[in-house]
Each structure stands twice: as C-alpha cells, then as structure tokens.
Amino acid sequence: MNKQQEKRLNIINKTITLCAQYGFHGTSMDSITTATGVSKATIYKYFISKENLIKEALVMFSERALNHLNIIFSDSTLTLEQKLSERFEILTTLMKDDLFNGCYFQLAYSEFNHTDNAIADTCSGYKKSRVEMIQALLTKHNISNAALKSQQAELIFNGLLASLQITKNAQLIPMAKAMYLDIIFKD
C-alpha cells in the first residue's frame, strides 16, 4: 500500500469512528480534518464531498463486515448454531468494552434516506447481502423455509442493534440470540 492509499484509508477509518460517535450529520469536515491531520483540500482531493466520503467509508466497512461473516460461515469446524451465534458473541464483547454505538448502516440510512440515494442504497444493499448470506447458509444446512427464516431472524438481529443503541442493555443479547436461533431451528 502506497502513502496515498494509506492516507485515504486513514481518512475513511477516522470518518467511520467519528460518525459512530456523533452521527453522520454530527460529524463535520473540521472534525475529520482534526482527527486525521489531513487538510480539507486533501480530503476533497480523494473524495468529492462529505457524502462521497461517507459512502466510500460505508462501502469499505460493508466489505469488511461481509468478509468477516463469510469467514465464519465457511468455517467447517463450527456447527450451524455456532456460526449463527458468533455475531451475538461479538456484540457481547463490544458492549463489555463500551465500543458499540449502533449499526453504522441503520444510522446512515436514517440520516440520508431522503437526501442521498448512493448512501441509502449502500446501506440497504449491505442489509440485503446479510439476509442473502444467512439464507445461503441455512439452505446449505438443509433448513426448511430458509428464505423466510433468514428474513425473520435478521429482523430480530436488526431490532437488537437498534435497541442496544438506545438502551445499552447487554442483557438483551442472550434474549435476542435465543429468539433468533428459535426462528431458525423451529419446524
């Protein structure tokens, strides 16, 4: 990775961190320049607008999250239940370390749904990809009604993310996990 790519990646990473803390509209270009040590002119050289920067950050974060999920789902040493449970374990760790500020995609969608189609499409595309990955995993494991169950289970997971953002109540995680697994494994 060359110096320009490193600088671009640093800008994206700092933007996601700031947006998770302060919201997308609450994160100013000034705060991004302060956090990155990069001038506005340089940021605009890489990204034509703040919205373009946010979209690029969401695309990168989406790719990372989906790749991580794919690694878990491809692990042949894990049972289906362990694969599905891993996301809940990650949330538990994030809550313990006080690192969870909500789902970036839910936050961005709520802030940009009516003002920036590229950001809204990135967010809804991520959520759709997650449901499709769950469906493929369930199909691979011969779970009946995989399409319906993947949608129902992800509704529970998304509801958990929204609830945790508001309440910070980690006790909701095992409750949601039990509901999620019940949806998957019931006949």
Side-chain angles (χ1 to χ4, degrees), residues 91-134:
L91 274 177
T92 299
T93 301
L94 290 173
M95 292 297 291
K96 282 181 186 170
D97 296 339
D98 199 31
L99 296 174
F100 181 78
N101 295 309
C103 174
Y104 300 139
F105 300 95
Q106 286 175 206
L107 292 169
Y109 189 85
S110 67
E111 290 189 39
F112 290 101
N113 181 37
H114 299 294
T115 59
D116 192 301
N117 289 338
I119 291 174
D121 291 347
T122 299
C123 297
S124 57
Y126 168 73
K127 296 287 186 170
K128 181 180 179 205
S129 294
R130 253 188 20 206
V131 170
E132 289 169 352
M133 288 179 79
I134 302 291

Side-chain angles (χ1 to χ4, degrees), residues 1-183:
M1 183 178 298
N2 66 34
K3 196 157 180 90
Q4 285 184 328
Q5 290 170 323
E6 284 179 22
K7 192 180 287 189
R8 190 175 192 281
L9 185 60
N10 178 49
I11 294 166
I12 289 172
N13 285 329
K14 297 288 185 185
T15 299
I16 282 290
T17 301
L18 290 169
C19 291
Q21 288 179 303
Y22 305 110
F24 292 91
H25 289 311
T27 301
S28 68
M29 287 304 282
D30 288 334
S31 62
I32 295 169
T33 59
T34 300
T36 60
V38 176
S39 71
K40 278 187 198 179
T42 301
I43 292 174
Y44 285 123
K45 180 177 128 186
Y46 293 114
F47 310 96
I48 23 178
S49 65
K50 177 183 167 188
E51 290 75 18
N52 180 257
L53 168 57
I54 289 169
K55 181 186 131 324
E56 291 295 321
L58 289 167
V59 166
M60 188 181 81
F61 191 77
S62 171
E63 289 170 358
R64 285 181 186 169
L66 293 173
N67 285 338
H68 181 74
L69 204 53
N70 190 44
I71 289 167
I72 294 167
F73 289 177
S74 300
D75 187 340
S76 61
T77 66
L78 299 175
T79 66
L80 176 58
E81 185 172 337
Q82 289 170 323
K83 290 174 184 182
L84 295 170
S85 297
E86 179 63 24
R87 293 162 68 205
F88 294 93
E89 303 310 318
I90 291 168
L91 274 177
T92 299
T93 301
L94 290 173
M95 292 297 291
K96 282 181 186 170
D97 296 339
D98 199 31
L99 296 174
F100 181 78
N101 295 309
C103 174
Y104 300 139
F105 300 95
Q106 286 175 206
L107 292 169
Y109 189 85
S110 67
E111 290 189 39
F112 290 101
N113 181 37
H114 299 294
T115 59
D116 192 301
N117 289 338
I119 291 174
D121 291 347
T122 299
C123 297
S124 57
Y126 168 73
K127 296 287 186 170
K128 181 180 179 205
S129 294
R130 253 188 20 206
V131 170
E132 289 169 352
M133 288 179 79
I134 302 291
Q135 180 180 345
L137 179 67
L138 299 182
T139 300
K140 180 181 173 184
H141 286 273
N142 300 313
I143 300 293
S144 63
N145 298 318
L148 177 63
K149 288 181 177 183
S150 62
Q151 290 177 355
Q152 290 171 328
E154 283 302 288
L155 281 172
I156 292 167
F157 193 79
N158 287 327
L160 173 63
L161 294 176
S163 295
L164 289 175
Q165 180 184 353
I166 294 167
T167 66
K168 305 288 188 203
N169 181 356
Q171 294 175 349
L172 297 174
I173 298 172
M175 188 182 344
K177 177 182 169 185
M179 293 167 55
Y180 190 99
L181 293 175
D182 186 53
I183 289 289

